[in-house]
Amino acid sequence: MTVQKHIAHNTRVPQKKRIVIKVGSNVLTRDNGKLDVTRMSSIVDQIVWLKQNGYEVILVSSGAMASGRDELRVKRKLDSVKQRQLFSALGQVKLIGLYYDLFCEYNMHIGQVLTMKESFSTRGEYLNQRACMNVMLENGVIPIVNENDTVSVTELMFTDNDELAGLVASMMGADTLVILSNVDGIFNGDPKELLSRVIPVVNYDRDLSEYIQDSKSNFGRGGMITKTNIARKVAEEGIKVIIANGKTTNILIDLFSNPQETMHTEFLPNPNPTSQVKKWIAHSESFAKGKIHINDKAEEALKGEKAVSLLLVGVTKIDGDFEEGDIINVVDKQNNTIAVGRSNYAADEARKLMGAHDIRPLIHYDYLYME
């Protein structure tokens, strides 16, 4: 087996590293939309290599819908929500069963983690999920994570599994997030042009909007925009991010044994990352229960070099109905979100105290993340 060949020659890992690997539907499916079991088996072989070389691995896997479509021929046309629910419910069983069989060949254990965006919105649920995956990793179990599509059918859904993978990488304190898609990385031009090249290294704070093409790839322009935005945010939190082609033979092995010779785009991590709490808050903008409008003086203070909390004296308007401890967005006069934080007050109490001096801040600095 090819994997065994690599194992024989690459066994030196200085210390245990934690990796989150996201495998997209466009990697796990064939052109006809059916699950590519051969590709899936190859991904498993490579994860086994990583495990045998001392890495901890969390797998965020798409493919439930593709797995479920072949299981049942529906008698009448279903709307998109019902299709998602039906085929995901059928397919998730098949998908995890396939992973179970493939990892069983190596006597490795897997555990299924189905989650929803709401499960990241409160600190308690966030910590419970982290504890669950930590105990799995401590006992040598590989967590396989996916969105629970059977119930996640509202507007509060992950953009796709890139967003989920970013949240998991941040929550679990991963060293590296690998996003496997059907592209070699981020190109400096149209990928179809002969002169276009993959950008090998990107700093976490670099603006790549000029390189995002208007033309759609197989996964759509929105897919690449999402990947880039997620990659930058995760890298800003001190986690290295790699975007690579999951259909390239032994891509995971090569990324970690011979990265200099392997095609990919790497986002360099911020050397001074935020705290674990702020990492949670950084991904929480879409969970916000309220919106805080501030004046110019408050905005200037928040954007200054000195670390400050948001005081109620600088608040001009409060939207929403939130409780103490909920996530709230902070917006400027143009209604642009400039910060996200955890409220020290319920909405009604905060409204009564707007403009007041010498009271505890609406959002303490330790729970405030600047966008």
Side-chain angles (χ1 to χ4, degrees):
M1 184 180 291
T2 307
V3 171
Q4 298 299 331
K5 180 184 72 174
H6 280 270
I7 291 172
H9 293 288
N10 298 286
T11 56
R12 297 194 306 273
V13 176
Q15 60 183 18
K16 184 169 285 189
K17 297 284 188 179
R18 182 170 291 180
I19 308 165
V20 174
I21 299 169
K22 182 264 180 175
V23 185
S25 295
N26 43 26
V27 175
L28 295 177
T29 55
R30 301 182 185 276
D31 292 339
N32 60 8
K34 295 184 178 181
L35 196 67
D36 188 341
V37 179
T38 302
R39 180 73 56 198
M40 191 172 166
S41 178
S42 173
I43 296 293
V44 168
D45 291 342
Q46 294 173 72
I47 291 174
V48 168
W49 179 88
L50 290 168
K51 286 274 291 178
Q52 291 176 342
N53 279 269
Y55 291 94
E56 286 183 336
V57 179
I58 300 169
L59 176 61
V60 178
S61 178
S62 303
M65 284 278 288
S67 299
R69 284 194 188 98
D70 288 338
E71 290 297 300
L72 182 69
R73 186 179 297 276
V74 294
K75 295 180 180 179
R76 59 186 179 85
K77 188 174 181 180
L78 301 174
D79 62 39
S80 59
V81 170
K82 290 180 179 177
Q83 280 190 49
R84 184 183 180 95
Q85 288 178 309
L86 176 62
F87 294 140
S88 294
L90 287 165
Q92 197 63 48
V93 176
K94 182 179 178 180
L95 184 71
I96 204 70
L98 283 169
Y99 276 125
Y100 176 85
D101 291 339
L102 290 167
F103 278 108
C104 243
E105 293 181 14
Y106 294 96
N107 295 316
M108 289 191 177
H109 298 283
I110 64 167
Q112 184 179 36
V113 179
L114 291 177
T115 187
M116 300 183 295
K117 201 166 188 176
E118 291 98 323
S119 300
F120 290 86
S121 64
T122 65
R123 186 67 177 161
E125 288 184 83
Y126 181 89
L127 294 174
N128 284 338
Q129 287 189 108
R130 189 172 74 183
C132 173
M133 283 190 249
N134 270 326
V135 75
M136 292 168 72
L137 293 170
E138 289 166 5
N139 287 277
V141 178
I142 301 171
I144 299 182
V145 188
N146 199 2
E147 183 171 17
N148 190 352
D149 290 330
T150 60
V151 292
S152 297
V153 293
T154 68
E155 67 279 357
L156 191 59
M157 294 169 60
F158 296 110
T159 307
D160 59 17
N161 273 351
D162 294 323
E163 184 183 7
L164 172 57
L167 279 164
V168 170
S170 176
M171 177 177 73
M172 299 307 296
D175 298 282
T176 305
L177 167 63
V178 181
I179 299 175
L180 295 182
S181 188
N182 60 348
V183 291
D184 292 324
I186 298 174
F187 286 78
N188 61 3
D190 187 339
K192 296 178 182 177
E193 296 293 332
L194 292 175
L195 296 178
S196 294
R197 296 289 183 269
V198 169
I199 303 171
V201 180
V202 176
N203 204 42
Y204 72 92
D205 58 357
R206 181 178 174 185
D207 183 7
L208 292 171
S209 58
E210 64 181 292
Y211 298 119
I212 306 300
Q213 301 297 308
D214 289 332
S215 58
K216 290 187 177 181
S217 66
N218 290 338
F219 54 81
R221 181 172 185 264
M224 182 50 78
I225 290 175
T226 300
K227 284 173 176 54
T228 304
N229 290 340
I230 292 296
R232 287 186 60 195
K233 178 168 282 189
V234 173
E236 186 178 0
E237 295 163 12
I239 300 169
K240 179 169 70 176
V241 182
I242 293 171
I243 297 176
N245 195 329
K247 294 192 173 184
T248 299
T249 303
N250 288 325
I251 184 64
L252 287 171
I253 295 172
D254 290 340
L255 282 171
F256 289 92
S257 63
N258 191 20
Q260 292 81 11
E261 302 297 324
T262 305
M263 188 83 73
H264 68 284
T265 296
E266 176 180 322
F267 287 75
L268 297 176
N270 181 357
N272 301 301
T274 58
S275 68
Q276 192 65 40
V277 171
K278 287 197 176 187
K279 286 182 180 181
W280 165 59
I281 293 172
H283 289 274
S284 299
E285 181 181 342
S286 60
F287 309 144
K289 301 290 181 63
K291 185 187 295 185
I292 308 302
H293 300 257
I294 61 174
N295 59 30
D296 291 335
K297 190 172 182 180
E299 180 183 355
E300 183 180 350
L302 290 180
K303 291 182 175 180
E305 293 184 5
K306 186 179 177 181
V308 297
S309 301
L310 176 61
L311 305 178
L312 280 160
V313 68
V315 176
T316 59
K317 181 183 176 184
I318 296 175
D319 297 330
D321 182 19
F322 52 88
E323 300 296 330
E324 180 181 349
D326 282 346
I327 294 296
I328 51 178
N329 289 336
V330 181
V331 301
D332 59 18
K333 284 187 173 181
Q334 289 72 46
N335 207 36
N336 299 313
T337 300
I338 62 170
V340 184
R342 189 168 73 170
S343 177
N344 274 329
Y345 296 85
D348 289 343
E349 184 183 7
R351 287 190 184 95
K352 293 176 183 177
L353 296 171
M354 277 195 310
H357 293 265
D358 300 324
I359 56 175
R360 75 180 189 273
L362 176 58
I363 305 174
H364 189 275
Y365 169 73
D366 289 342
Y367 300 94
L368 180 69
Y369 177 81
M370 296 300 297
E371 288 287 333

